[in-house]
Amino acid sequence: MKELKNQPIDARAKKPFYLRAALACLLFPCAAALCCLVMRSIMQSAGHEEHIKRLCAVIIIVAALMFVRYLYRSNIRKWCCAYMNFVQDCFAREDVDCCPRCNTSFGGVYGDSERKRQCPNKNCALSADEKIRFGRLPATLSDAKALVLNAGVRDDFKFSAARCIFQFIAALVVYAAVAAATVYFIVPQIAKLVKEIIDLL
């Protein structure tokens, strides 16, 4: 990530990041509250009122973990956005003779009067005309490294909705399991241990 973080972060990268962070601060608590209300009514209808508080605690923990995950991924996208802005700025300059990402020379491909619009390296294939939206930028460290270091072909960092959905569901399942184990097993055991220590004293 050293190469990625060498690029300065200007308003073009900060603005979408802060906007998404602000929206997440509103949406995640609202989603958690809505889920708690739905689960409360379901558990009351099923006659399991004793589990309502624990289930609400699980939902809140999962929402908090998903919120942190979202901010983490958005932060990686912020750095990628700063890097892509740097690349686009380089393409717009007249004194640039090679691709700012893979260092492929433009010589022999572009004439002196011809504007450099795309990298000749097909594995890199960065283009001045292709502006990647913030939400489609890499959101993992491996994808960010592939974007910056040209680790493989273009598809290594290409946005995939199916993969994003799969990663979201996988994270949700893992966080739900961790939260449930914490609320139903770890916390009661800790509370029991603390009570035993207090009784001994």
Side-chain angles (χ1 to χ4, degrees), residues 87 91 96-111 114-128 150 154:
V87 169
F91 270 113
V96 175
D97 296 323
C98 59
C99 175
R101 176 168 174 255
C102 68
N103 291 322
T104 299
S105 175
F106 292 128
V109 180
Y110 298 96
E114 205 174 345
R115 187 173 178 179
K116 299 176 282 291
R117 305 296 301 181
Q118 184 171 357
C119 175
N121 181 1
K122 299 303 180 184
N123 281 342
C124 177
L126 287 184
S127 171
N150 196 22
R154 186 172 178 78

Side-chain angles (χ1 to χ4, degrees), residues 40-58:
R40 179 183 294 273
S41 59
I42 291 174
M43 297 306 289
Q44 285 176 344
S45 300
H48 297 293
E49 290 87 354
E50 68 276 9
H51 292 286
I52 291 176
K53 288 184 178 180
R54 287 184 176 181
L55 281 175
C56 287
V58 169

Side-chain angles (χ1 to χ4, degrees), residues 94-169:
E94 294 295 333
D95 59 338
V96 175
D97 296 323
C98 59
C99 175
R101 176 168 174 255
C102 68
N103 291 322
T104 299
S105 175
F106 292 128
V109 180
Y110 298 96
D112 293 336
S113 61
E114 205 174 345
R115 187 173 178 179
K116 299 176 282 291
R117 305 296 301 181
Q118 184 171 357
C119 175
N121 181 1
K122 299 303 180 184
N123 281 342
C124 177
L126 287 184
S127 171
D129 298 321
E130 184 181 359
K131 180 69 174 177
I132 303 176
R133 297 204 316 268
F134 188 90
R136 291 180 173 267
L137 286 166
T140 63
L141 287 177
S142 60
D143 288 348
K145 289 177 181 177
L147 169 67
V148 176
L149 302 177
N150 196 22
V153 295
R154 186 172 178 78
D155 288 342
D156 287 347
F157 62 88
K158 190 175 182 181
F159 175 80
S160 171
R163 187 173 61 167
C164 285
I165 293 172
F166 173 77
Q167 290 174 345
F168 176 83
I169 294 173

